[in-house]
Amino acid sequence: MTDRREPYEEEYRIALLRERLARGGQAELGVRVERRGGGVLLTGTVPNATRREEILDLARDTLPGLTVRTEVALAGRDAPDHGEELP
């Protein structure tokens, strides 16, 4: 007999991470959490590297035993270095 609770547990923990991201002190609604194979993939954009690390730490704490991969980008804050050419 196989233990069928594990996949449901993982889905519950993934949903919990999504909720924590949405409700956190700095809600990150732009970060998406997707199930990919034996782990999860985080995608989206955050304001700075510190916030990205906080999100990764939260994901690792919430999803122990799952591989957490990230493609979370940093929002650019630099002013453009040249003008835009319009047709």
Side-chain angles (χ1 to χ4, degrees):
M1 183 172 193
T2 60
D3 183 4
R4 293 183 152 286
R5 291 180 299 145
E6 186 175 323
Y8 297 114
E9 250 179 66
E10 289 175 359
E11 292 303 322
Y12 170 80
R13 291 187 293 150
I14 291 169
L16 180 61
L17 175 60
R18 288 181 180 129
E19 181 179 327
R20 287 179 174 172
L21 288 172
R23 292 185 180 207
Q26 257 186 321
E28 292 297 343
L29 298 176
V31 175
R32 290 170 302 286
V33 182
E34 300 176 34
R35 180 69 189 254
R36 293 283 175 98
V40 295
L41 173 65
L42 304 177
T43 59
T45 304
V46 295
N48 56 53
T50 301
R51 186 63 182 143
R52 180 172 55 189
E53 287 305 313
E54 290 171 353
I55 289 169
L56 286 174
D57 289 343
L58 178 63
R60 290 181 188 118
D61 289 345
T62 306
L63 306 170
L66 289 176
T67 301
V68 177
R69 290 188 13 229
T70 182
E71 291 181 8
V72 175
L74 301 180
R77 291 188 172 182
D78 298 334
D81 60 352
H82 61 281
E84 182 178 2
E85 299 274 334
L86 298 175

